[in-house]
Amino acid sequence: MHNLLEFLQRHYHWLLFVVLEVVSLVLLFQHNSYQSSVWFSSANYVAGTVYQYSSAVKSLFHLKEVNSDLALRNYYLERQVTQLRRLYADRTKHISDREKQELDSLSQYQLIPAKVINNELDSPDNLMTIDRGTSDGIETGMGVACGQGIVGVVYLTSTHYSVIIPILNSHSSRISCAIRGQGYFGVLRWEGGDARYAYLENIPRHARFKRGDWVETNGYSSIFPAGVLVGRVEKAFNSSDGLSYRLKIRLSTDFGNIRDVVVISDKSIAERMRLQQAAKDSLKLNVKE
């Protein structure tokens, strides 16, 4: 204790200088909009760079596991494609026409690969950062998925980075999803807490389903195409008004171990959104009249 006091006494002028410098910098950035914006932009760039290098190091230790998982998934996907083509060819005898339709349908989607460089799980308003931005074709409102299923929606973009609102966020878009093979649909919502579960609301009372049924996007939203995995039905509840079901869904995406994602760019989104906005504007005008 004596040595500490002696050190402080001998170097107090340097300590005072550092404290005053810190206070002056804080006042400068807090009360001047230009300096504050410069600091914010620089801090975001530095943070993004740090997250990127940190994620790169983590990815090196997971390469073996990721490659094994990708190989297994590719195997199953190839088997499924082969079986579907054989079944369709047996029934229609027009495999070439069908393949042309599939290619025309898929041509409107572009998948932009990205790596997760920052991810949150312990907040009601979790966010995720990826290493792709406007220079890579990323735009606000695009859907984000991974090999396991749905991830979230692009919220903010910069030149080289983008912030994602995952479905594990209280402000996440209410994404339209359906029970596979049944057609009954509802909206997906996360209520906080366990990152493994979300809820599918407004399922009709006459719907037929069972525990373990797959839930996937139905393509009704302008964010995700139909068929993106969401999860499996875990449990069913009555809604608060008793007029519909509320399903507990075990999410297929493991948000605690997510590294690689794809951003879904749909060339037809802009056209559909313009048409929807025109319809809303027209309804507002009719109501006023």
Side-chain angles (χ1 to χ4, degrees):
M1 187 65 181
H2 176 73
N3 291 336
L4 176 60
L5 293 176
E6 185 177 348
F7 175 83
L8 294 176
Q9 184 178 7
R10 190 165 55 247
H11 300 286
Y12 76 93
H13 51 286
W14 288 109
L15 297 175
L16 180 62
F17 172 78
V18 171
V19 171
L20 292 176
E21 281 291 318
V22 171
V23 172
S24 63
L25 288 174
V26 170
L27 293 175
L28 176 66
F29 289 121
Q30 280 188 344
H31 299 287
N32 294 275
S33 57
Y34 174 74
Q35 284 82 356
S36 178
S37 64
V38 170
W39 165 259
F40 184 78
S41 301
S42 301
N44 277 348
Y45 177 78
V46 172
T49 303
V50 171
Y51 286 144
Q52 184 176 10
Y53 283 115
S54 174
S55 178
V57 172
K58 291 179 181 178
S59 296
L60 287 175
F61 293 100
H62 289 81
L63 282 179
K64 184 177 180 180
E65 180 182 344
V66 169
N67 288 335
S68 176
D69 184 62
L70 286 175
L72 186 61
R73 289 180 184 279
N74 285 337
Y75 170 78
Y76 283 124
L77 287 173
E78 289 292 342
R79 289 292 302 273
Q80 289 175 353
V81 169
T82 301
Q83 292 172 358
L84 289 172
R85 284 179 174 173
R86 186 184 300 115
L87 287 171
Y88 188 83
D90 291 340
R91 290 181 176 274
T92 65
K93 308 302 181 184
H94 296 293
I95 186 65
S96 59
D97 293 339
R98 177 59 178 174
E99 287 182 345
K100 184 178 184 302
Q101 291 178 6
E102 289 179 350
L103 289 175
D104 291 341
S105 174
L106 291 174
S107 65
Q108 70 183 22
Y109 299 109
Q110 177 188 3
L111 301 181
I112 305 172
K115 287 192 176 294
V116 177
I117 59 175
N118 186 44
N119 187 23
E120 300 174 352
L121 288 176
D122 55 357
S123 167
D125 299 322
N126 297 304
L127 295 174
M128 182 183 295
T129 306
I130 60 174
D131 65 347
R132 292 289 183 269
T134 53
S135 63
D136 306 292
I138 308 295
E139 297 178 8
T140 300
M142 288 182 173
V144 183
C146 67
Q148 299 172 326
I150 193 172
V151 174
V153 180
V154 177
Y155 177 55
L156 290 175
T157 59
S158 65
T159 305
H160 302 294
Y161 302 99
S162 297
V163 175
I164 310 301
I165 292 186
I167 56 177
L168 303 182
N169 187 300
S170 61
H171 295 96
S172 177
S173 300
R174 294 171 69 84
I175 299 166
S176 184
C177 305
I179 301 173
R180 178 185 288 176
Q182 300 295 330
Y184 302 112
F185 65 92
V187 291
L188 188 69
R189 184 183 176 201
W190 184 66
E191 296 185 344
D194 199 330
R196 297 173 298 171
Y197 298 99
Y199 291 88
L200 189 62
E201 301 179 338
N202 302 330
I203 298 296
R205 294 289 297 182
H206 59 275
R208 294 291 178 265
F209 54 84
K210 63 182 182 297
R211 187 175 186 272
D213 280 351
W214 280 106
V215 174
E216 59 190 13
T217 59
N218 57 9
Y220 285 2
S221 71
S222 59
I223 300 174
F224 292 97
V228 180
L229 283 181
V230 175
R232 288 182 180 270
V233 176
E234 184 83 8
K235 192 181 295 185
F237 306 91
N238 287 321
S239 63
S240 56
D241 56 13
L243 299 178
S244 61
Y245 287 120
R246 184 168 175 266
L247 306 183
K248 184 178 183 179
I249 307 300
R250 186 181 183 92
L251 299 172
S252 58
T253 300
D254 182 1
F255 283 90
N257 186 29
I258 186 169
R259 293 285 183 272
D260 297 274
V261 298
V262 291
V263 181
I264 304 170
S265 174
D266 184 353
K267 300 174 184 177
S268 67
I269 283 181
E271 180 181 351
R272 280 185 285 168
M273 293 186 71
R274 284 197 301 269
L275 184 61
Q276 291 175 2
Q277 188 60 46
K280 291 179 181 178
D281 294 341
S282 177
L283 287 173
K284 289 179 181 178
L285 290 174
N286 291 335
V287 170
K288 289 180 180 179
E289 293 177 355

